Amino acid sequence: MNMSGLTLQEYEFEKQFNENEAIQWMQENWKKSFLFSALYAAFIFGGRHLMNKRAKFELRKPLVLWSLSLAVFSIFGAVRTGAYMVYILMAKGLKQSVCDQSFYNGPVSKFWAYAFVLSKAPELGDTIFIILRKQKLIFLHWYHHITVLLYSWYSYKDMVAGGGWFMTMNYGVHAVMYTYYALRAAGFRVSRKFAMFITLSQITQMFVGCIINYLVFAWMQQGQCHSHVYNIVWCSLMYLSYFVLFCHFFFEAYIGKTRKARKAE
């Protein structure tokens, strides 16, 4: 793929990936995401009940490996999809980057689009460590995991507009977030500002997601964006709720705690 004079090398596994089979499988199986979500919720409540009377597990080394694996996966995904989105933006403009369905069948992006939606199932494993280590499990954590899994599987099967933006932003934020988790789990002292930066990145992601969704809706009325009203509604509710919840988390975790610490001095 030529990118304004630069060549984006296509790897063999990306070339050979059959996106038609992947999309067909998702069309036939996307509702299994509800089963995974139900099992996940059952594990949360059952696991917390079982761990009430048990000593917590340390699990530091497995957590390092887990976070590092997801960090590497997200970094590769961010680089590959990011390069593709930059190419589309530079060559064809914003509207094309939002409305074009080529992200789902492009020579590079098609593999990473499918890898993204599939990854939302194993990412539920984040919560296993929280439960077994008896850490605080907030609503935002499990709500985010469930709704992203449901929405990404629901949307991929229809190849809806905006997917390239949503997936690339998520890959980028996760690349930073899981790197942070891996460093923390490995025992490195990481600046609190790093954590603040991640949350601000998540808030920015949700804000941009709302804008992209509005653009999809506006251009859909002109027949230039492939989507449907139900997808627009669910996507809007999801991103708006994320935006509110992440803003609330930022205030509670950083601003609120800082004020309490100053008052205690």
Side-chain angles (χ1 to χ4, degrees):
M1 180 193 300
N2 184 272
M3 298 174 56
S4 302
L6 298 176
T7 300
L8 180 61
Q9 181 183 357
E10 300 163 29
Y11 295 104
E12 198 61 33
F13 69 92
E14 292 171 337
K15 288 181 182 178
Q16 294 182 357
F17 178 71
N18 189 326
E19 74 279 11
N20 294 320
E21 289 183 1
I23 293 168
Q24 183 180 349
W25 185 92
M26 193 61 72
Q27 289 171 344
E28 296 171 354
N29 295 278
W30 76 273
K31 290 182 180 178
K32 289 180 180 177
S33 61
F34 286 98
L35 174 61
F36 295 145
S37 298
L39 293 172
Y40 173 68
F43 170 79
I44 289 174
F45 295 104
R48 293 178 75 179
H49 177 73
L50 289 173
M51 289 302 297
N52 271 339
K53 298 178 181 179
R54 295 171 182 265
K56 67 178 182 179
F57 293 89
E58 192 62 32
L59 301 177
R60 185 171 293 276
K61 289 182 180 179
L63 182 56
V64 172
L65 291 174
W66 174 261
S67 299
L68 187 60
S69 298
L70 287 174
V72 171
F73 167 72
S74 299
I75 290 168
F76 274 100
V79 170
R80 301 304 280 168
T81 59
Y84 187 81
M85 290 302 291
V86 167
Y87 163 72
I88 296 295
L89 273 169
M90 292 176 65
K92 301 181 180 180
L94 176 64
K95 182 179 286 190
Q96 190 75 0
S97 74
V98 173
C99 296
D100 195 0
Q101 293 176 284
S102 64
F103 189 83
Y104 297 94
N105 51 32
V108 171
S109 57
K110 61 182 182 179
F111 170 83
W112 294 101
Y114 192 53
F116 175 88
V117 297
L118 288 186
S119 71
K120 298 307 158 189
E123 277 183 10
L124 300 177
D126 288 351
T127 315
I128 294 175
F129 290 98
I130 293 176
I131 298 293
L132 296 181
R133 300 177 78 207
K134 299 184 75 169
Q135 295 179 318
K136 183 180 180 181
L137 178 63
I138 61 174
F139 170 76
L140 173 58
H141 176 91
W142 60 266
Y143 167 76
H144 180 69
H145 270 303
I146 288 176
T147 49
V148 168
L149 170 63
L150 294 174
Y151 178 75
S152 60
W153 283 39
Y154 167 68
S155 296
Y156 177 82
K157 67 180 177 59
D158 296 325
M159 299 172 63
V160 295
W165 277 89
F166 298 147
M167 295 185 205
T168 302
M169 287 192 298
N170 193 263
Y171 266 134
V173 171
H174 277 203
V176 179
M177 183 183 77
Y178 281 113
T179 298
Y180 170 77
Y181 288 160
L183 290 171
R184 285 286 303 271
F188 289 97
R189 294 187 64 182
V190 186
S191 171
R192 188 164 176 264
K193 291 180 180 179
F194 196 171
M196 292 178 67
F197 170 76
I198 293 171
T199 307
L200 285 172
S201 298
Q202 291 168 321
I203 292 171
T204 303
Q205 177 194 349
M206 304 319 162
F207 179 72
V208 174
C210 290
I211 293 174
I212 296 298
N213 199 44
Y214 169 76
L215 292 176
V216 171
F217 176 75
W219 289 329
M220 185 178 72
Q221 308 307 305
Q222 303 171 14
Q224 296 174 306
C225 266
H226 172 72
S227 190
H228 48 84
V229 174
Y230 286 122
N231 191 285
I232 296 293
V233 169
W234 290 121
C235 187
S236 297
L237 290 173
M238 184 181 72
Y239 267 101
L240 282 171
S241 65
Y242 291 165
F243 180 77
V244 171
L245 288 169
F246 274 108
C247 284
H248 179 262
F249 174 79
F250 184 86
F251 180 84
E252 290 292 317
Y254 305 113
I255 299 175
K257 284 185 177 179
T258 301
R259 287 180 178 176
K260 288 179 182 178
R262 287 175 179 172
K263 287 181 180 179
E265 290 176 356

